[in-house]
Amino acid sequence: MIAGDGIGKEVIPQAIKVMQAAGARVDLTLLDWGADRYLADKVTVPADGFGRLARDFDAILVGAFGDPRVPSNIHAREILLGMRCQMDLYANVRPVRLLHASLCPLKNVDPNDVDFVVIRENTEGVYGDLGGVFKKGTEDEVAIQEDVNTRKGVERILRYAFEYCAGTRKLDGSPRRRVLMCDKSNAMTHAGGLWQRMFKAVAAEYPQIETQHMYVDALCMQMVRDPRGFDVIVTNNMFGDIITDLAAGIQGGLGMAASGNLHPGKTSMFEPVHGSAPPIAGKNIANPLGAILTSAMMLGQLEMIGEARKIETAVLEAVGQKKTTVDIGGSLGTSETGEWVANRVLRL
Ligand SMILES: NC(=O)c1ccc[n+]([C@@H]2O[C@H](COP(=O)([O-])OP(=O)(O)OC[C@H]3O[C@@H](n4cnc5c(N)ncnc54)[C@H](O)[C@@H]3O)[C@@H](O)[C@H]2O)c1
């Protein structure tokens, strides 16, 4: 467990409380990586930190990183991008579920209408910090940000999406049927061309799964116009970053969204989608349900399915009974919400 910064320090203790109430058989180790440690000793990641995570742990639960006292955010970048890239956690999996109609800002959307997943490539794209600045500070300044797309990287994330589609079911028990690939291949022809070719090649191996393609701009519009019908969406790092926040809006805001960073067979990392939210940190008002749902996702991955289901059921009830924080219509604090969910889990 790495609570990290800001509201990470408030929501992760709630997730721990709830996992313990669910009877999850996990040995917890708390690591103090984050801004406080960086400010104290200038260490972002201890020596062999990622090696230790990969060797000694089955899963990592993370809060959030980002602190105004570290304007460069170097610790956040080194810890988060380091985990994703050095541990090669190439698949960012973001379930998008609407737990209650009142949470959705769109009209006439029923919880049954929103149950899809976004699978985001997590190690390539424009986030590799490749590029440079030429003639910095002059009128002729040029900034170049490279978009890296490897055949290996594109193929494996597409394959992950098809495997996910073939191997998982929706909340109502019905099978998943369709993989939608989202890109901008009309404008970004080189990278888009690779994604298009690999999508056709991988899809041919899964004839039972329907395929669909949308440009990212059209997909954003459709997600707001009518989110029904999305099933599995696979996309690159940047588009995935953007559409998962849009999707979080549909499911009740950033406080409700869970995610996993996975590489089958390796130690995976799970984190709520939100950041450290400095303006609300330390006030006991942050919504802990995203972190709690993230812990359920982690337990599911660790094959503690019953424990995970109990947590999801209790969260559903908390939302239905408005035993939540104010951002989604309740009146409880962060720790009181965690307490309510933990007590409910104990009785399930
Ligand atoms: N994975 C991560 O650790 C991660 C992700 C995004 C941003 N960040 C970092 O977090 C810091 C703040 O970034 P930001 O403001 O763009 O994003 P943010 O997610 O922290 O906050 C965006 C908005 O959502 C609200 N919000 C977020 N989580 C909430 C919760 N659990 N309950 C209620 N409201 C919540 C915030 O108050 C804010 O209005 C920055 O340093 C950024 O780099 C970290």
Side-chain angles (χ1 to χ4, degrees), residues 20 33 55 115 147 175 205 246 271 285-286:
Q20 285 170 338
W33 303 9
R55 272 193 316 275
D115 183 359
D147 181 12
E205 297 172 30
L246 176 53
E271 54 178 340
I285 55 175

Side-chain angles (χ1 to χ4, degrees), residues 7 64-66 73 80 254-255 271 273-278 280 286-287 327:
I7 63 168
F65 297 97
N73 239 356
L80 278 177
L254 283 169
E271 54 178 340
V273 171
H274 62 73
S276 57
I280 63 167
N287 184 348
D327 57 305

Side-chain angles (χ1 to χ4, degrees), residues 26-141:
V26 284
D27 292 329
L28 299 179
T29 300
L30 300 173
L31 300 180
D32 64 352
W33 303 9
D36 289 342
R37 169 134 192 215
Y38 174 71
L39 289 167
D41 60 16
K42 291 284 169 283
V43 170
T44 56
V45 178
D48 192 35
F50 298 126
R52 183 176 169 218
L53 291 182
R55 272 193 316 275
D56 297 353
F57 299 97
D58 297 309
I60 309 156
L61 181 64
V62 157
F65 297 97
D67 188 308
R69 295 170 300 165
V70 187
S72 67
N73 239 356
I74 181 171
H75 69 296
R77 210 167 43 248
E78 290 193 1
I79 295 170
L80 278 177
L81 292 185
M83 274 188 212
R84 290 172 192 162
C85 292
Q86 300 208 22
M87 298 172 72
D88 204 21
L89 305 178
Y90 68 87
N92 180 256
V93 178
R94 270 278 289 110
V96 183
R97 290 172 187 147
L98 178 61
L99 299 187
H100 195 277
S102 66
L103 298 185
C104 187
L106 307 177
K107 276 181 287 187
N108 304 326
V109 176
D110 189 71
N112 296 327
D113 295 335
V114 181
D115 183 359
F116 63 92
V117 62
V118 181
I119 295 184
R120 162 186 170 191
E121 204 294 319
N122 217 16
T123 57
E124 301 192 343
V126 291
Y127 294 1
D129 207 24
L130 295 181
V133 182
F134 180 50
K135 297 187 181 176
K136 190 171 182 179
T138 73
E139 285 187 351
D140 298 323
E141 181 164 348

Side-chain angles (χ1 to χ4, degrees), residues 88-317:
D88 204 21
L89 305 178
Y90 68 87
N92 180 256
V93 178
R94 270 278 289 110
V96 183
R97 290 172 187 147
L98 178 61
L99 299 187
H100 195 277
S102 66
L103 298 185
C104 187
L106 307 177
K107 276 181 287 187
N108 304 326
V109 176
D110 189 71
N112 296 327
D113 295 335
V114 181
D115 183 359
F116 63 92
V117 62
V118 181
I119 295 184
R120 162 186 170 191
E121 204 294 319
N122 217 16
T123 57
E124 301 192 343
V126 291
Y127 294 1
D129 207 24
L130 295 181
V133 182
F134 180 50
K135 297 187 181 176
K136 190 171 182 179
T138 73
E139 285 187 351
D140 298 323
E141 181 164 348
V142 179
I144 295 177
Q145 197 82 43
E146 303 279 7
D147 181 12
V148 178
N149 298 262
T150 68
R151 181 181 168 122
K152 174 185 153 189
V154 174
E155 182 176 353
R156 70 180 179 174
I157 194 66
L158 291 170
R159 193 174 302 285
Y160 189 95
F162 279 93
E163 286 292 325
Y164 187 96
C165 187
T168 58
R169 287 178 175 268
K170 295 188 172 194
L171 271 188
D172 65 7
S174 62
R176 296 204 174 275
R177 299 182 193 285
R178 189 165 59 248
V179 175
L180 184 159
M181 195 271 278
C182 159
D183 66 12
K184 189 66 188 166
S185 52
N186 50 347
M188 301 168 76
T189 54
H190 308 301
L194 176 62
W195 278 79
Q196 290 282 344
R197 278 181 279 119
M198 295 318 301
F199 187 52
K200 283 198 183 71
V202 176
E205 297 172 30
Y206 298 86
Q208 78 281 18
I209 295 177
E210 285 172 45
T211 58
Q212 194 183 351
H213 168 258
M214 284 180 99
Y215 296 126
V216 62
D217 42 351
L219 182 135
C220 287
M221 187 195 67
Q222 184 62 17
M223 214 178 256
V224 171
R225 245 171 56 100
D226 184 3
R228 297 170 188 88
F230 288 115
D231 196 345
V232 176
I233 299 173
V234 59
T235 191
N236 72 15
N237 207 339
M238 184 173 70
F239 298 151
D241 194 0
I242 296 166
I243 64 176
T244 53
D245 267 30
L246 176 53
I250 292 172
Q251 65 185 134
L254 283 169
M256 293 302 296
S259 80
N261 299 270
L262 301 133
H263 182 139
K266 293 193 178 188
T267 302
S268 296
M269 186 268 271
F270 298 82
E271 54 178 340
V273 171
H274 62 73
S276 57
I280 63 167
K283 297 180 177 163
N284 195 37
I285 55 175
N287 184 348
L289 296 182
I292 291 171
L293 288 169
T294 300
S295 71
M297 193 176 174
M298 181 179 80
L299 294 181
Q301 184 74 15
L302 295 173
E303 296 180 1
M304 288 181 238
I305 308 291
E307 292 84 346
R309 291 290 165 269
K310 275 190 207 173
I311 295 174
E312 287 169 354
T313 304
V315 169
L316 196 63
E317 291 181 13

